[in-house]
Structures are given as C-alpha cells and as structure tokens.
Amino acid sequence: MLEAIVKHQIEKNGAIPLGQYIEIALSHPEHGYYMTRDPLGKRGDFTTAPEISQIFGELIGAWIIDIWAQMGKPALNLIECGPGRGTLMADIVRIIRNFGGVNNNITIHMIETSPALIEKQKQALKSINAQWHSHILSVPSDSPVLIVANEFLDALPVEQLRRADQGWMQKYIGIKDGALTESWQPAPHRLQTHLPPKTRSGKIYEISPVRSEYISNCADLIAKTGGAALFIDYGHAKTHHGDTVQAIKNHKYSDILKEIGHSDITSHVDFEAARNAASAQGLNISPIVTQGAFLNKLGGAIRCKALINAAKNKTQANDIQKGYQRVAHNDEMGDLFKVLCFYKGDLNPAGF
Ligand code: SAH
C-alpha cells in the first residue's frame, strides 16, 4: 500500500531524498510504520532498554529526583519524547512517587505521533494525569522542564552524502525497472556545511537536519524556562563516516527499500552533531558518556544486587541479572549506546 503511494509520488515528481523516504516509511499518517502498530517487544520488531530492565527507568527516575532537587524543587514539566509503550515513564513515576508528593508538583508531557502507541502509553500511565502532544513545541513554557528521550533520535530521518571527485552527492530514492532504487544527485550547499572538506572519494557521511532541529527546539525551551535534557541512543561520540541506515523486521535486518512501512528504519546518532545543535543556545553540555558508564555511576550495579537479593526465586534473580547485563555491559548495549545531557545554569547532573 505505502509502496504504491511512494512509487506514485516518485513517478509524478521525480526521485526523493533519502530523508523524505524514511519520513514517509515511518510517519505516513495512515500507513507509516509507527502509526499502525506497537513495534516493541519479543513479538514485535525490536526491543529497548526500558523494556529489557526496570533498573534503566528506575535510575533515570533517581536522576530526575536529584536534578530537580538541585533546581530547588520547582513546579516542573517532565517531558518524554518518543515514549514507545510508556514503560520508561511508568518506571520513572514509580520512583518519583516515593519522594513525598513530588508528582503533585510535576506535570507529565508525552510527545508522541503514533496513535497506536499513545493508546499503549495511556494504559501504562492509567492512574497518572499526563498530557499528550505531537511535538515538543506545544509544551507550555510556564515552568522549568526536564526532557528525557530513549531511542527517539535514531528514529528521525537522516540524509546520506557521498564524496565524489566532483563534490558531495546526496542519496535519493527513485524507480528503475519498476523497483525502488538508490541514486545520487549533487548535494545542495546547505547540507555540506558540517562535512569535513578533505574527504576521500567514496566516503559516506550521514547528517540529520531534522534531529538537529529537534535538539535545538529542546535547547530553546530549556534556555527559556531552565532545566535539563537527557538523550540516550545508539551511535558514535564523534562524527564518523559510514552507512548506518538499517531496516529491522522481526529482530532481523531487512532491506530499507522492501516492505516499506512494515520495517523499522533507524540510523546511528552522531552525538557530536547532536552536541553542536544543543550548544548553539549557550547551555552547558556534559561530556558524552556510554550508557554502561552512566548506569553504573548512577548505582545500577548496586540496585541490581538489591533486586536479586529480593527476588522470589532463582529464575527471577537470573532474569534481573541478565537484563541489567544486557543494558549495561560493554559487549551488549553498554558501549554502543551513548548519553547526551544539556542543561541551563549551575547544575551538576549525575552520571557523567
Ligand atoms: N522510547 C521508547 C520507544 C523508542 S521507539 C523505548 O525506549 O522503548 C521510537 C518512539 O518514537 C516511538 O514511540 C515512536 O512512535 C516515536 N516517534 C517517532 N518519530 C516521532 C516524532 N517525530 N515525534 C514524536 N515521536 C516520534
């Protein structure tokens, strides 16, 4: 269905940039990948840290309590971008509730575009008075904000640029012999500004104006109201060449040009570019750290031991151990995933 729509558009108006193709595949209002399904979990296409271990959300809850205390415990807008099934926010709320009435002072805002996932999030947060928005720009700027986002940036579209002898070329998706196919066209100057000038022919760089703009919108909000943002995702700490765009279906790699709208398309986050997008607002930025280092510094290993000691039986203890190992160990998600934090003023975010 979506394939026919995309092909029709290309036949009518010509090849489309890769970023536009990803945008349609994921977010077409009727047939986009995220719009129509819950993609998470064993029976879905992929799984994420909050779905794997409750410790992940609990530690972020503790991080929120700590920084909120440093801010002087003001009325707060707590925002999550791309909340999936709502599991992370539910774990956070369980923790912040334990801190004497905190949640009376905190308004929760969920930023989500998928009707299917909004339904899931409403179930996960049944007893909580939360508000839903389709974009960070519609959150009121009446109070300081704390923004959290896990595996959100990787779902935003990227463009690919390849160095050729005659200059930078941009990846487009067109049609050849009736099938969707990649092609390259000269890249507009505005996409080239952050690329290394002395690049060898053949190298591919990915840039994401959509991601940068989203981060910049978050930074603008924090510059206005005060507060902090925490973005966690897989990617590299420094800008690096390479083609990282991938499609995933049933926990396996698939072709981004096949079954459009039925597989998740993501790419590694360039945390150097993400950092640059936040620094334009004059905020403070923590060094980029790995997820494993961040979680352990917040006391993850200690929390894991406590949960194991309180486990009902050996199987449960094993599951807790395996889950934490998966999110924190360097051979699993611990090293590949990175954490970006930016904040206004004299705060000292934990975990860095
Ligand atoms: N944070 C969750 C889910 C990650 S999947 C977790 O860790 O489990 C990506 C999430 O981002 C989904 O909820 C998807 O619907 C949402 N999303 C994708 N593009 C979005 C956009 N432009 N605005 C808001 N949410 C978006």
Side-chain angles (χ1 to χ4, degrees):
M1 187 66 204
L2 196 50
E3 186 171 330
I5 294 173
V6 173
K7 281 183 170 166
H8 179 72
Q9 184 179 335
I10 294 172
E11 271 157 6
K12 215 166 121 208
N13 302 322
I16 55 175
L18 173 67
Q20 195 180 331
Y21 177 81
I22 297 173
E23 168 76 31
I24 297 171
L26 298 181
S27 303
H28 181 277
E30 256 179 273
H31 308 291
Y33 175 76
Y34 283 117
M35 297 302 133
T36 51
R37 74 196 71 222
D38 170 8
L40 289 141
K42 271 207 183 100
R43 271 183 281 138
D45 295 315
F46 62 94
T47 191
T48 57
E51 301 296 329
I52 294 168
S53 173
Q54 72 182 75
I55 299 172
F56 183 83
E58 290 174 346
L59 295 174
I60 292 178
W63 184 90
I64 288 168
I65 292 296
D66 175 62
I67 201 147
W68 178 71
Q70 292 182 42
M71 289 158 67
K73 303 192 178 177
L76 185 77
N77 286 322
L78 174 58
I79 304 167
E80 184 179 357
C81 301
R85 288 177 165 174
T87 308
L88 173 59
M89 190 55 90
D91 287 341
I92 290 173
V93 166
R94 209 175 55 247
I95 295 299
I96 64 181
R97 260 199 181 142
N98 294 338
F99 286 77
V102 162
N103 53 334
N104 293 332
N105 231 349
I106 296 182
T107 310
I108 292 171
H109 300 268
M110 307 286 268
I111 316 295
E112 178 59 71
T113 43
S114 158
L117 288 171
I118 289 173
E119 264 326 295
K120 287 266 165 177
Q121 293 155 19
K122 287 191 168 158
Q123 282 167 27
L125 299 182
K126 284 204 260 330
S127 55
I128 293 149
N129 195 8
Q131 297 176 21
W132 273 263
H133 313 262
S134 59
H135 202 282
I136 185 95
L137 291 174
S138 35
V139 174
S141 48
D142 54 355
S143 303
V145 296
L146 289 177
I147 302 169
V148 296
N150 183 60
E151 291 211 40
F152 167 67
L153 296 174
D154 69 59
L156 299 180
V158 287
E159 302 294 351
Q160 284 188 340
L161 287 98
R162 193 184 71 192
R163 185 74 203 183
D165 291 340
Q166 70 272 36
W168 288 100
M169 307 294 281
Q170 181 181 359
K171 185 179 279 183
Y172 274 70
I173 306 299
I175 298 179
K176 198 174 166 201
D177 301 331
L180 290 170
T181 182
E182 298 173 0
S183 62
W184 297 88
Q185 298 186 16
H189 186 71
R190 69 185 160 77
L191 292 183
Q192 301 179 21
T193 44
H194 293 298
L195 295 170
K198 287 190 191 150
T199 304
R200 267 200 286 134
S201 253
K203 291 253 184 297
I204 290 178
Y205 279 85
E206 289 170 349
I207 56 163
S208 177
V210 179
R211 237 176 238 161
S212 295
E213 192 186 340
Y214 217 100
I215 292 169
S216 166
N217 289 153
C218 293
D220 278 342
L221 182 59
I222 292 173
K224 210 191 263 169
T225 64
L230 195 61
F231 283 91
I232 304 176
D233 224 305
Y234 68 106
H236 30 274
K238 294 253 162 239
T239 299
H240 205 272
H241 58 82
D243 173 354
T244 74
V245 175
Q246 62 184 29
I248 297 273
K249 188 174 160 58
N250 291 331
H251 300 264
K252 291 198 187 82
Y253 292 113
S254 64
D255 184 340
I256 69 159
L257 299 180
K258 299 256 158 70
E259 297 187 88
I260 173 170
H262 297 284
S263 63
D264 188 27
I265 303 180
T266 63
S267 53
H268 283 218
V269 174
D270 175 351
F271 276 88
E272 187 178 341
R275 220 171 173 271
N276 287 339
S279 64
Q281 314 300 327
L283 301 178
N284 296 312
I285 308 181
S286 303
I288 304 294
V289 297
T290 65
Q291 174 168 296
F294 178 72
L295 296 178
N296 282 327
K297 225 168 178 180
L298 293 179
I302 298 165
R303 175 72 182 143
C304 184
K305 264 203 190 116
L307 284 174
I308 287 170
N309 288 339
K312 282 198 281 248
N313 51 45
K314 241 197 154 130
T315 317
Q316 196 183 40
N318 262 338
D319 287 348
I320 294 165
Q321 168 73 40
K322 266 204 220 137
Y324 186 67
Q325 159 120 358
R326 208 165 144 202
V327 298
H329 198 279
N330 282 349
D331 294 338
E332 305 208 36
M333 295 165 80
D335 193 47
L336 175 63
F337 281 69
K338 313 285 188 300
V339 187
L340 164 70
C341 174
F342 49 90
Y343 55 98
K344 184 174 179 181
D346 193 17
L347 299 173
N348 185 14
F352 296 91

